[in-house]
């Protein structure tokens, strides 16, 4: 079982999206990334008024499904395809969705979980939730578009700590950094997230979509003189391939050590 992303229509125009990957704290597989894209493209084309996204079984999302990584991560072209098409395809579908999105965050919210939460408009978390992106322990950096997304959402200081120190943060930490909208007792997270979604859904849906379009435009840096590509495009598609590390020794060591349940030796 490679996990799945489920969508169910609720009452009053609220749609529920659930990340489900039993036994892996809802870690995102390639299949799940592709399903995430399909789900949010469908929501964008629907009459939904609000979305609640949550993980199943007490965790939001613990990151990527590392058990899949040896099958594609050590080839630069396959690695680029994974990040630029599978992962970014899912995240960009969320970012491009004009329907407001509420994140219901319990337990682990790591790596891919932080990226998915970064695409949401309102983030409600339980007091025991934990946040981070400790991929440095796996011997690889965050992909450029994903790093830009996370840094914009969590703030540059927290992003540097997550990526350089492999630091983890509490819900209180992330509330203080304005990443979270509110922190509630763990048992209250689903109800509080749903209450937020119902408040949004009861308001003018057209206005909500237009507000999201304006806020998206304000966050998109204009190209220099209207012609030059944005800086992130220069990084992703420039002369220095950001995925050239695929076959590096430390990349192989980080993933191999994790799967072998031993400390990596870099």
């Amino acid at each position: 079982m490679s996990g799945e992303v489920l969508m169910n229509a609720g009452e009053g125009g609220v749609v529920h999206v659930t990340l489900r990957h039993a036994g892996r704290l809802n870690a995102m597989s390639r299949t799940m990334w592709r399903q995430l894209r399909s789900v949010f493209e469908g929501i964008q084309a629907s009459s939904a008024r609000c979305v609640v996204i949550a993980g199943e079984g007490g965790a939001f999302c613990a990151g990527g499904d590392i058990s899949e990584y040896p099958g594609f991560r050590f080839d630069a072209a396959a690695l680029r395809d994974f990040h630029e098409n599978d992962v970014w395809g899912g995240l960009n579908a969320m970012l491009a969705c004009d329907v407001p999105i509420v994140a219901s965050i319990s337990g682990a919210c790591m790596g891919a979980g932080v990226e998915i939460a970064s695409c949401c408009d309102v983030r409600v978390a339980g007091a025991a939730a934990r946040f981070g992106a400790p991929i440095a322990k796996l011997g690889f950096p965050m992909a450029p578009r994903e790093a830009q997304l996370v840094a914009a959402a969590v703030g540059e200081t927290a992003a540097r700590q997550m990526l350089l120190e492999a630091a983890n943060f509490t819900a209180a930490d992330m509330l203080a950094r304005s990443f979270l909208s509110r922190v509630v007792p763990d048992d209250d997270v689903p109800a509080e997230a749903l209450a937020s979604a119902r408040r949004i859904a009861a308001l003018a849906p057209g206005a909500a979509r237009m507000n999201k379009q304006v806020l998206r435009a304000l966050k998109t840096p204009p190209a220099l003189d209207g012609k030059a590509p944005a800086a992130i495009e220069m990084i992703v598609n420039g002369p220095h391939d950001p995925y050239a590390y695929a076959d590096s020794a430390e990349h192989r060591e980080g993933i191999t050590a994790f799967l072998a349940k031993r400390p990596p030796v870099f």
Side-chain angles (χ1 to χ4, degrees):
M1 182 66 177
S2 58
E4 57 189 339
V5 178
L6 306 174
M7 180 179 71
N8 295 290
E11 298 179 354
V14 176
V15 172
H16 297 268
V17 174
T18 304
L19 309 175
R20 174 193 285 175
H21 200 167
R24 297 189 185 277
L25 299 177
N26 306 318
M28 293 293 289
S29 64
R30 297 194 80 168
T31 295
M32 291 173 71
W33 283 118
R34 293 165 183 164
Q35 290 178 348
L36 187 73
R37 177 177 183 171
S38 178
V39 162
F40 275 92
E41 287 177 344
I43 291 171
Q44 171 68 359
S46 76
S47 59
R49 289 173 171 244
C50 193
V51 181
V52 177
I53 185 167
E56 186 176 79
F60 185 69
C61 171
D65 184 0
I66 299 169
S67 69
E68 293 185 334
Y69 285 4
F72 63 87
R73 284 202 67 98
F74 304 139
D75 175 80
L79 181 61
R80 172 180 285 271
D81 179 63
F82 169 66
H83 282 289
E84 295 295 311
N85 294 315
D86 292 344
V87 177
W88 191 247
L91 295 174
N92 193 50
M94 293 186 70
L95 293 171
C97 184
D98 295 330
V99 180
I101 307 169
V102 177
S104 178
I105 305 171
S106 298
C109 182
M110 297 287 173
V114 173
E115 294 175 4
I116 291 169
S118 293
C119 297
C120 298
D121 302 293
V122 176
R123 306 178 190 100
V124 179
R130 293 294 181 270
F131 303 80
I135 53 177
K137 295 179 180 179
L138 298 173
F140 62 88
M142 185 170 280
R145 297 187 201 278
E146 297 158 50
Q148 181 186 44
L149 168 67
V150 170
V154 307
E156 185 177 342
T157 298
R160 288 179 184 272
Q161 288 180 265
M162 285 181 180
L163 296 177
L164 302 180
E165 292 184 344
N168 291 339
F169 294 92
T170 66
D173 292 331
M174 299 307 282
L175 180 66
R177 288 167 167 77
S178 299
F179 179 70
L180 296 176
S181 304
R182 47 192 168 275
V183 175
V184 299
D186 296 299
D187 291 343
D188 295 346
V189 173
E192 183 65 26
L194 180 57
S196 177
R198 285 174 171 165
R199 287 193 292 271
I200 293 169
L203 301 173
R209 288 185 179 237
M210 287 187 282
N211 279 331
K212 286 202 64 174
Q213 292 165 7
V214 170
L215 292 169
R216 184 188 307 122
L218 291 173
K219 291 176 67 175
T220 303
L224 299 176
D225 73 18
K227 298 179 181 178
I232 193 65
E233 295 299 330
M234 290 295 291
I235 295 172
V236 173
N237 298 308
H240 304 292
D241 184 0
Y243 300 107
Y245 70 86
D247 195 36
S248 68
E250 67 178 42
H251 186 205
R252 287 182 176 274
E253 168 62 11
I255 292 173
T256 300
F258 180 90
L259 294 174
K261 300 184 180 348
R262 63 171 175 80
V265 179
F266 293 127

